[in-house]
Amino acid sequence: MGMIDNDWVEPLRTEFGKPYYRDLYNFVRDEYSRTVIYPPADDIFNAFHFTPLKNVKVLLLGQDPYHNVNQAHGLSFSVLPGNEIPPSLINIYKELQDDLGCYIPNNGYLKKWADQGVLLLNTVLTVRAHQANSHQGHGWEQFTDAVIQAVNAQDRPIVYFLWGSPARRKKSMLTNPKHLILEAPHPSPLSAYRGFFGCRHFSKANEFLKANGIDAIDWQIENI
């Protein structure tokens, strides 16, 4: 596992010393030694490397990483260039097109969002190849809850995108009156038509940020 080495260290420091994190570390290390795990070990904490805590404007919460080869790289919903765009991300792009007029790009690489302050956080940060949810219940959820709590503690306007039931269950943790919580069904093909399409979360987030004197997010992912 790579290390977090920026301003996330301070709010997460106590987590690294807890028994559950030691057990999680040992579990993940053993899994990487035995079988194929995604993302690559050095990419597990990319969401934190690309989006320091002081830069977070939006928290977009996913579940666990993509589990096919060369997809996951540590950012929720994002895939490395050269991969087919996953169905949920296609639906995100469709909503962006309807909401803000963004064209649908030829790739699913979302680092541009992370670089602008969109924390692309999964609740579970590793997965066995071709086995969705295989690393649930081993401690990642406790760690990422601490991440969410660190964002909640920030004394400045921040937006949360809670898409789907697992993400929406985190709402009770979000108690900061300066923050904006936006909820919708998950963008997967199974549920996008139940209210994700038409939610206009991207424009709502930008309006909120601009109203608070914060630069809006340029949501357009360019073609490669």
Side-chain angles (χ1 to χ4, degrees), residues 46-64:
N46 272 351
F48 308 97
H49 297 152
F50 297 159
T51 313
L53 178 57
K54 64 181 172 53
N55 293 349
V56 174
K57 299 178 181 179
V58 178
L59 194 162
L60 173 49
L61 194 61
Q63 296 179 34
D64 71 334

Side-chain angles (χ1 to χ4, degrees), residues 14-62:
T14 57
E15 300 303 308
F16 297 132
K18 291 179 179 178
Y20 89 85
Y21 191 85
R22 182 187 64 242
D23 293 343
L24 170 64
Y25 180 91
N26 290 335
F27 166 76
V28 171
R29 182 193 60 199
D30 291 348
E31 285 282 280
Y32 274 96
S33 71
R34 279 201 296 258
T35 187
V36 177
I37 303 297
Y38 298 124
D42 287 344
D43 291 344
I44 292 173
F45 293 125
N46 272 351
F48 308 97
H49 297 152
F50 297 159
T51 313
L53 178 57
K54 64 181 172 53
N55 293 349
V56 174
K57 299 178 181 179
V58 178
L59 194 162
L60 173 49
L61 194 61

Side-chain angles (χ1 to χ4, degrees), residues 120-140:
L120 296 166
L121 179 69
N122 281 316
T123 54
V124 174
L125 300 187
T126 53
V127 69
R128 282 188 181 182
H130 317 304
Q131 296 182 44
N133 304 319
S134 50
H135 281 187
Q136 285 188 352
H138 290 279
W140 278 130

